[in-house]
Amino acid sequence: MSVRVTQTMLNSNMLRNLNNSMHNMDKLQHMLSSGRKVEKPSDDPVVAARGMFYRSSLMENDQYKRNVDEAQSWMDMTDATMDEMGNIMKRVKELLVYSGDGAVSPEDLKTMGAEIEELKNHMGTLANQQINGKYIFAGTDTNKAPFDANALGGKGDFVSTNASPINLEVSQNVFVTSNVNAQNIFNYPNAAGNVFKVLNNIIDELKAGRSATQFQTVMDDQFDNLLAERATLGASVNRVELIAERLDTQEVSITGLMSKNEDADMAKVMTDLKTQESVHNAALGAGARIIQPTLLDFLR
């Protein structure tokens, strides 16, 4: 059975095809101006879903990098503080050796005691070192000063007993400890014989005009322990630096995948646009021939 094709049908089909052609050119024009394959998820749901995944991964990577930066700040501050503590201990050891000189007078010994007392006070200041308003040697009690200058009748002592680590997530289910166990540093070998009590005993001996060479071995042990703890911290610093490098590499990789997924091939888009323009012009020419001349055209 034949189907009657009317002029109205021809006109409608022509307009619909021209509209589709213009829609295709508009889509290519958007891709050319924005540089992206899709403008909205309905353009390509698969590309849109992958784009959301890559953006989520990039946001997670950025947070991990911020955590690494925070861990590095804590570790750098801790390392610098421990270095200064080491300098104090070395000076105390020098004075202990000097105090054994038989030519040193009791007044000189008292002067040494006064110097070591100032060094001990500075050691207390270092024990209360802060970063961003948080005490770095207080475990998880970061708002409580670990060193109390009024303890032991005003002599001062390390009063914190918190040895809890502060863990930061630097990758999925991967954590690093940003702080050190201050108990292993200031309360070595125990709270009863920690570095501040040793310094107080040295000060008492020197201020009494007596030599304090008997404390040399104890101070050597304190200094060696500090070096060991600092070496452990150095190993953690190296690990965090490796993690930071990996996160930087991962950021570049994720960004590249996101670009491949979403960015349009500009050369291909320009070629497709020129092709579509040619198709559209051809459709316009064909449409002009399809439209039936009117009766007035025959009356001329």
Side-chain angles (χ1 to χ4, degrees):
M1 181 180 67
S2 62
V3 178
R4 182 170 179 268
V5 178
T6 64
Q7 185 64 38
T8 300
M9 293 174 61
L10 291 174
N11 293 343
S12 298
N13 288 335
M14 180 197 68
L15 293 175
R16 183 175 63 255
N17 292 331
L18 287 175
N19 185 64
N20 290 336
S21 177
M22 293 179 66
H23 175 74
N24 291 335
M25 284 197 299
D26 180 66
K27 183 178 179 181
L28 291 169
Q29 177 61 33
H30 273 297
M31 291 174 63
L32 193 62
S33 59
S34 66
R36 297 187 177 277
K37 294 179 183 178
V38 296
E39 289 293 321
K40 52 186 180 296
S42 59
D43 292 340
D44 193 328
V46 175
V47 171
R50 287 178 179 172
M52 292 175 63
F53 171 76
Y54 291 140
R55 278 181 169 76
S56 177
S57 298
L58 200 57
M59 291 175 62
E60 290 179 359
N61 195 76
D62 287 341
Q63 182 60 57
Y64 292 145
K65 289 180 65 177
R66 286 193 289 271
N67 290 349
V68 166
D69 290 341
E70 182 177 352
Q72 286 180 317
S73 297
W74 274 70
M75 290 179 177
D76 289 344
M77 177 63 74
T78 303
D79 184 65
T81 303
M82 293 175 72
D83 179 63
E84 196 167 348
M85 290 168 54
N87 293 333
I88 290 175
M89 290 185 180
K90 284 189 286 187
R91 178 56 181 166
V92 171
K93 289 170 63 179
E94 291 175 2
L95 292 173
L96 289 178
V97 173
Y98 187 34
S99 71
D101 189 341
V104 175
S105 66
E107 292 301 322
D108 292 334
L109 292 174
K110 292 179 182 178
T111 302
M112 293 180 197
E115 180 179 350
I116 293 178
E117 185 172 20
E118 292 300 320
L119 292 174
K120 184 205 69 175
N121 293 335
H122 186 54
M123 180 81 79
T125 301
L126 295 177
N128 284 340
Q129 181 66 54
Q130 300 180 62
I131 182 170
N132 296 328
K134 299 178 180 179
Y135 294 99
I136 64 176
F137 293 118
T140 52
D141 292 331
T142 55
N143 59 337
K144 297 179 181 178
F147 177 82
D148 184 1
N150 297 319
L152 299 179
K155 291 184 177 181
D157 194 16
F158 193 81
V159 296
S160 174
T161 58
N162 191 313
S164 300
I166 299 176
N167 295 323
L168 295 173
E169 189 173 11
V170 294
S171 188
Q172 189 171 9
N173 297 323
V174 176
F175 296 84
V176 297
T177 301
S178 60
N179 65 332
V180 296
N181 187 349
Q183 303 302 315
N184 296 337
I185 300 174
F186 295 100
N187 277 338
Y188 173 83
N190 50 56
N194 67 19
V195 63
F196 291 105
K197 291 184 174 65
V198 172
L199 291 174
N200 285 331
N201 292 334
I202 293 173
I203 292 168
D204 290 341
E205 286 293 310
L206 292 174
K207 283 191 172 182
R210 296 188 294 267
S211 172
T213 55
Q214 66 271 27
F215 294 101
Q216 282 181 287
T217 301
V218 178
M219 281 306 303
D220 286 340
D221 291 342
Q222 291 285 346
F223 184 70
D224 291 342
N225 176 69
L226 179 66
L227 292 180
E229 292 297 322
R230 193 177 178 191
T232 302
L233 175 64
S236 299
V237 170
N238 290 337
R239 183 193 176 197
V240 171
E241 288 177 350
L242 292 174
I243 292 173
E245 292 177 3
R246 181 177 59 80
L247 290 175
D248 289 337
T249 302
Q250 191 165 310
E251 180 181 16
V252 174
S253 177
I254 294 173
T255 303
L257 290 172
M258 188 168 64
S259 176
K260 290 180 180 179
N261 180 65
E262 298 180 359
D263 293 351
D265 185 345
M266 303 307 290
K268 183 177 182 301
V269 172
M270 293 178 66
T271 301
D272 291 344
L273 181 59
K274 294 299 294 184
T275 301
Q276 189 61 43
E277 287 178 354
S278 299
V279 171
H280 186 70
N281 290 333
L284 287 174
R289 292 190 293 272
I290 289 174
I291 297 176
Q292 184 179 5
T294 65
L295 182 59
L296 293 176
D297 294 323
F298 292 98
L299 293 177
R300 291 199 193 112

